[in-house]
Amino acid sequence: MPLVPLHEIYADANKDYFAIGQFNVNNLEFIQAALEAAVEMNSPLILAASTGAIKYAGLNYLVAMVKAGSAKMSQRVALHLDHGATYEDAKMCIEGGFTSVMIDGSHLPYEENIALTKKVADLAHQHNITVEAELGRLGGIEDDVKVDAKDANLTDPDQAKDFVKRSGCDALAVAVGTSHGAYKFKGEAKLDFDRIEAIKKLVGIPLVLHGASGVPTELTEKLTRFGGKIPGAKGVPDEAYRRAIKNGINKVNIDTDLRLAFVAAVREVLATKPEEFDPRKILGPGRASVKEVIKQKMQILGSAGRG
Ligand code: PGH
Ligand code: CA
Ligand code: ZN
């Protein structure tokens, strides 16, 4: 079927308290991995491209590959812009075939974040496209922006209520203790579940957990075994997904875990088969490994069987 606006998928998720994974893609292999996972798990799917991914692959390539791959599927697929920084980023995707956009004005002064989000929402809604906004600030790295831990701050529930009402966004990314990348927590993983619940009670709309990769030791150990270096990496434990979803999270953003899965598998081939130089035999196992990770996430998040 054609790509669907993300709010059509959110409607079920928000009603029945499950979440959909957002899986970031840059290339053919990741797109195929995610689409195949959605078919095998009968899950709805959110494919996301950041502005960095669009720069890397080209908007036209990404949209064409996603449309080609999803055309014959019965499961719902949405294509989402991750961390759009400007009105022009969002406009390009709205007009280019995406069905959802994030406008991330979280680094702006509050009133400017509202104004930018509203401007994007007004355009997107004319096209029946979903808008995600962000309030509060995560630590870590997102594409070109690095936020120091000291500048990160958690989302205020009362401000979130005002923000949603005035900006017209359809979904809200909240800062509740996670950060982007493979190094999320120094000690124990700490998420502010009460804050999620408080925000949800006041806004009612779908909430989004960014920086949600699990960084499982199974992947970091494999990466390390075949020559990678990722000391001290730590992610969000599975149990935290369950609690976050119970309290109102409906979208869980996963990028780092897919990168780890892909590169660990590629490293394994390169390390164990030095005579191999057929790229399909090197990238193919990467694709298979990404697909397995996505299938596991669909199970944990509760989107499996909800195609
Ligand atoms: C994310 C991805 N994308 O918007 O929030 O986070 O680095 O934890 O995969 P991770
Ligand atoms: Ca941000
Ligand atoms: Zn993010």
Side-chain angles (χ1 to χ4, degrees), residues 86-93 119:
T86 64
Y87 177 76
E88 287 69 32
D89 290 340
K91 184 167 186 280
M92 170 180 74
C93 292
K119 192 172 170 198

Side-chain angles (χ1 to χ4, degrees), residues 265-297:
V266 167
R267 277 189 178 278
E268 179 175 17
V269 181
L270 295 175
T272 58
K273 299 181 181 158
E275 73 292 348
E276 186 59 72
F277 60 86
D278 180 343
R280 295 167 298 187
K281 303 257 169 64
I282 297 168
L283 304 182
R287 178 175 62 187
S289 192
V290 169
K291 178 164 124 182
E292 276 321 301
V293 169
I294 294 177
K295 287 172 71 173
Q296 288 167 15
K297 299 290 183 201

Side-chain angles (χ1 to χ4, degrees), residues 22 24 82-83 102 104 132 134 138 141-142 173 179-180 208-212 253 255:
Q22 170 196 296
N24 283 64
D82 193 24
H83 293 287
M102 176 185 191
D104 181 356
E132 175 182 330
E134 181 170 317
L138 277 74
I141 304 161
E142 56 195 47
S179 61
H180 291 104
V208 181
L209 187 64
H210 280 250
N253 288 8
D255 185 356

Side-chain angles (χ1 to χ4, degrees), residues 25-296:
V25 298
N26 294 287
N27 64 15
L28 174 73
E29 281 77 12
F30 278 55
I31 291 170
Q32 289 178 327
L35 292 171
E36 286 173 19
V39 171
E40 290 175 25
M41 301 305 284
N42 187 26
S43 171
L45 176 68
I46 304 165
L47 289 172
S50 64
T51 48
I54 292 169
K55 222 183 283 170
Y56 175 79
L59 182 95
N60 52 346
Y61 279 88
L62 288 172
V63 172
M65 285 193 286
V66 170
K67 284 188 174 169
S70 60
K72 290 210 170 72
M73 285 169 55
S74 61
Q75 292 78 17
R76 294 166 294 174
V77 179
L79 178 57
H80 173 79
L81 168 65
D82 193 24
H83 293 287
T86 64
Y87 177 76
E88 287 69 32
D89 290 340
K91 184 167 186 280
M92 170 180 74
C93 292
I94 289 165
E95 291 171 353
F98 283 51
T99 58
S100 176
V101 292
M102 176 185 191
I103 181 71
D104 181 356
S106 60
H107 54 287
L108 297 171
Y110 182 62
E111 291 295 332
E112 287 177 38
N113 188 2
I114 293 181
L116 176 62
T117 302
K118 185 169 186 330
K119 192 172 170 198
V120 170
D122 287 345
L123 177 71
H125 292 160
Q126 285 170 31
H127 292 78
N128 193 29
I129 285 171
T130 315
V131 175
E132 175 182 330
E134 181 170 317
L135 185 64
R137 216 179 286 179
L138 277 74
I141 304 161
E142 56 195 47
D143 259 349
D144 305 326
V145 191
K146 187 173 185 304
V147 181
D148 283 339
K150 66 174 167 43
D151 293 326
N153 61 289
L154 304 185
T155 308
D156 176 78
D158 292 316
Q159 196 177 47
K161 184 182 178 192
D162 181 67
F163 181 88
V164 167
K165 200 168 87 201
R166 291 172 58 204
S167 71
C169 66
D170 307 296
L172 185 68
V174 292
V176 292
T178 59
S179 61
H180 291 104
Y183 306 92
K184 300 186 190 302
F185 307 102
K186 290 243 163 62
E188 276 306 288
K190 266 206 205 110
L191 273 77
D192 193 340
F193 299 105
D194 293 341
R195 187 176 294 270
I196 297 171
E197 190 177 27
I199 298 168
K200 185 72 168 203
K201 275 208 179 102
L202 291 173
V203 304
I205 65 173
L207 300 181
V208 181
L209 187 64
H210 280 250
S213 276
V215 194
T217 47
E218 174 197 323
L219 291 180
T220 55
E221 276 169 9
K222 182 172 169 191
L223 194 81
T224 308
R225 200 168 345 121
F226 298 110
K229 281 191 185 138
I230 190 160
K234 189 160 191 128
V236 176
D238 286 356
E239 188 45 39
Y241 294 142
R242 282 186 263 273
R243 285 186 68 188
I245 292 166
K246 194 166 143 272
N247 287 8
I249 292 287
N250 298 111
K251 175 165 162 285
V252 170
N253 288 8
I254 309 285
D255 185 356
T256 297
D257 283 353
L258 309 187
R259 297 176 180 201
L260 292 174
F262 188 82
V263 174
V266 167
R267 277 189 178 278
E268 179 175 17
V269 181
L270 295 175
T272 58
K273 299 181 181 158
E275 73 292 348
E276 186 59 72
F277 60 86
D278 180 343
R280 295 167 298 187
K281 303 257 169 64
I282 297 168
L283 304 182
R287 178 175 62 187
S289 192
V290 169
K291 178 164 124 182
E292 276 321 301
V293 169
I294 294 177
K295 287 172 71 173
Q296 288 167 15

